[in-house]
Amino acid sequence: MLLLKRLKLNEWTRVALLFILLVAALLRFDFLVSVHHHNSHDTINYDIMVRQLLEEGVYGYKSAKPNAQVSPGYPLFMAAVYKLVDYEERDPFPAIRYFQLVFSLITIWFVYRIARRLGGEWAGLIAAAGMAVYPPFVWTTGAVLTETIAAMLLTAYMYWQLIAFERKDRKAALWAGLALGLTALVRPEFLIMAPAAYLLYLLWRRKGGQALKLLLCTGIGMAVVLSPWLIRNIVTLNKPIVTSTQVNPFAAGTYPNKNYDDGLVERVGKTQMEVAKERLRIGFTQHTWTFVKWYTVGKLDYIYNKMFAGSGHKPFYPVIPFRSSFHLLLVYTGLISAIVILINWRQSAMLIVFLLVAISAARLAFVPEYRYNFTAMPQLIILSSLLAARLLAWLFARLDKRFRLRSKLSITRRNRHAQHDV
């Protein structure tokens, strides 16, 4: 007890954070070693691609010829692990999963730092605890897919971008650019975050010169990371491709409710892009309400209504009870918190809200998948933790006020009794 009394507040939070990270690590490790992991269609194609790269020196997705169908971030990570474990003698997937366990813990740390910076220690700890037990963050450590590494890089970007905005720090802006460049090499859709962030900064600070300097630093960081891939594409493919050329997610997004046999457009003899453009033209002119609904609430409901279950595994690993309810609680409390922040939007937390809105809007252009809510959940958990911390502060203030009032009444009564005895 004496030892506990000697612990200061910041020491308590360190102990609490360490405990949360330990629980997170144990959950993820137990999951990885106790189930049979299913390899998705994308995982199998990644494996073929990486082996081809290592053995023949050809970077081509679903092709024996060089292409830029997918961005190189995750395949290159896989290739590094393959070489590290000697993939010809050992299965490289277990090693990839253990690396992803570490990435998941790093993501929790970044989320803690962001939430703590925005809402104090309680917000940080609540956010870290939510990240530790949110089921998809456990399940995806076993999926040989981009989600876990993308979430880590994205939260790193948000952390440095937040510091750059608050301190007007060019070095932090450079780090943010490096992190965002790496994120884009894993998941290209996140490139939209740089212009979105600096549009907010310009509206917030009303200082164009300062915003331009920070944007330049972020742009330099992104260019350093993206330029080798861009140069490779110019030299090898004779095209200035910044991220990837994959069209399928955009084309598949033109089918309302994922009805791929609606017969709206004849597809024979046409490219995916030609079919997609024709579908959009006919859809918005002849089936306006159906397409407007699909490209707004329809896709958003599909993306956020259910959580991503990873690549699949047996036996089912539950993580926590009431999983679906917990997911919806995070989504709706995050939305409420975002609305509260919007009321007084000139604050640092608005960056998280604005980036969440920007990436959600960007995803409306593509086919909706539950996978897409995975990288948005750290932002929603941060926003939820800010709301929870505010409620706790209000509750503690009420309890403290009531306790002080009772103490004051008790002292008054004792004084009256003492006067009566005299």
Side-chain angles (χ1 to χ4, degrees):
M1 289 298 293
L2 289 173
L3 178 61
L4 294 177
K5 288 179 180 178
R6 288 175 186 172
L7 285 173
K8 297 178 181 178
L9 178 62
N10 60 341
E11 292 173 332
W12 266 111
T13 55
R14 287 174 187 169
V15 171
L17 178 62
L18 183 61
F19 175 75
I20 290 169
L21 289 172
L22 181 61
V23 169
L26 289 174
L27 276 173
R28 286 151 178 76
F29 180 77
D30 184 58
F31 166 69
L32 291 182
V33 300
S34 65
V35 304
H36 172 72
H37 300 279
H38 172 70
N39 293 322
S40 69
H41 176 74
D42 286 343
T43 299
I44 294 169
N45 285 324
Y46 279 142
D47 178 62
I48 295 170
M49 175 188 187
V50 170
R51 291 175 185 272
Q52 177 179 274
L53 175 63
L54 293 173
E55 294 165 9
E56 302 174 26
V58 177
Y59 184 93
Y61 185 71
K62 294 184 178 180
S63 173
K65 297 180 179 179
N67 64 33
Q69 276 279 91
V70 297
S71 50
Y74 197 69
L76 290 182
F77 159 69
M78 289 179 65
V81 178
Y82 276 44
K83 291 290 287 184
L84 182 66
V85 302
D86 189 5
Y87 73 99
E88 292 179 328
E89 300 293 331
R90 299 181 183 87
D91 180 6
F93 284 1
I96 289 174
R97 294 183 177 114
Y98 290 129
F99 271 107
Q100 291 183 162
L101 185 157
V102 176
F103 295 159
S104 185
L105 297 180
I106 294 171
T107 305
I108 294 173
W109 184 83
F110 273 120
V111 165
Y112 163 77
R113 296 283 292 181
I114 294 169
R116 177 189 170 195
R117 193 174 194 88
L118 295 174
E121 289 289 356
W122 276 108
L125 291 175
I126 292 169
M131 293 285 295
V133 300
Y134 179 59
F137 293 149
V138 177
W139 294 331
T140 47
T141 55
V144 183
L145 296 169
T146 60
E147 272 64 38
T148 304
I149 192 171
M152 177 188 69
L153 293 170
L154 180 62
T155 51
Y157 159 70
M158 289 190 294
Y159 175 68
W160 287 112
Q161 191 69 84
L162 187 62
I163 292 175
F165 280 11
E166 290 183 342
R167 297 181 183 174
K168 308 173 188 63
D169 189 330
R170 298 180 192 178
K171 196 176 198 180
L174 178 65
W175 278 107
L178 292 169
L180 186 58
L182 289 171
T183 308
L185 285 181
V186 175
R187 295 281 288 272
E189 70 264 28
F190 291 112
L191 272 178
I192 193 175
M193 285 196 163
Y198 283 99
L199 173 61
L200 172 65
Y201 188 81
L202 187 61
L203 294 171
W204 181 15
R205 299 293 188 186
R206 302 285 184 178
K207 294 181 180 178
Q210 193 176 85
L212 188 60
K213 290 175 184 176
L214 292 175
L215 176 59
L216 180 61
C217 291
T218 300
I220 290 171
M222 293 172 64
V224 167
V225 174
L226 294 171
S227 56
W229 175 242
L230 176 64
I231 293 169
R232 175 265 182 188
N233 292 331
I234 293 172
V235 172
T236 306
L237 307 177
N238 300 313
K239 294 180 182 178
I241 301 165
V242 178
T243 53
S244 68
T245 59
Q246 198 169 26
V247 176
N248 185 58
F250 173 75
T254 64
Y255 293 82
N257 303 310
K258 292 190 172 183
N259 179 13
Y260 299 115
D261 298 315
D262 61 5
L264 187 65
V265 171
E266 177 60 49
R267 292 180 283 188
V268 178
K270 299 175 184 176
T271 65
Q272 281 190 324
M273 183 57 76
E274 288 172 342
V275 171
K277 289 179 178 179
E278 189 174 353
R279 286 186 59 82
L280 290 173
R281 180 180 59 79
I282 295 174
F284 279 105
T285 55
Q286 299 179 19
H287 307 275
T288 306
W289 173 239
T290 300
F291 269 71
V292 168
K293 184 180 177 182
W294 175 239
Y295 272 85
T296 51
V297 295
K299 288 190 179 184
L300 288 175
D301 179 68
Y302 202 98
I303 291 169
Y304 290 109
N305 190 43
K306 293 183 181 179
M307 58 188 173
F308 179 49
S311 245
H313 56 274
K314 291 182 180 178
F316 179 69
Y317 194 86
V319 187
I320 56 172
F322 309 111
R323 291 167 296 279
S324 297
S325 299
F326 183 54
H327 168 73
L328 292 175
L329 176 68
L330 292 174
V331 171
Y332 287 119
T333 54
L335 179 60
I336 293 169
S337 181
I339 294 170
V340 172
I341 291 167
L342 280 167
I343 294 170
N344 182 22
W345 67 275
R346 292 182 185 273
Q347 57 176 301
S348 299
M350 186 62 191
L351 175 65
I352 308 300
V353 176
F354 205 74
L355 292 180
L356 179 61
V357 170
I359 196 60
S360 297
R363 285 184 175 131
L364 294 179
F366 305 103
V367 61
E369 296 288 350
Y370 300 137
R371 286 176 66 178
Y372 297 164
N373 75 29
F374 181 87
T375 45
M377 289 312 295
Q379 297 166 76
L380 285 167
I381 288 173
I382 290 168
L383 294 173
S384 298
S385 73
L386 297 180
L387 182 64
R390 284 190 180 189
L391 292 174
L392 279 177
W394 176 82
L395 179 62
F396 289 156
R398 294 276 296 183
L399 291 174
D400 184 59
K401 185 177 179 180
R402 181 171 293 184
F403 176 77
R404 289 186 180 187
L405 181 60
R406 285 184 177 179
S407 298
K408 188 176 181 180
L409 290 172
S410 178
I411 292 170
T412 303
R413 285 171 185 165
R414 284 202 301 267
N415 288 339
R416 285 177 181 174
H417 285 303
Q419 289 175 1
H420 178 73
D421 292 340
V422 171

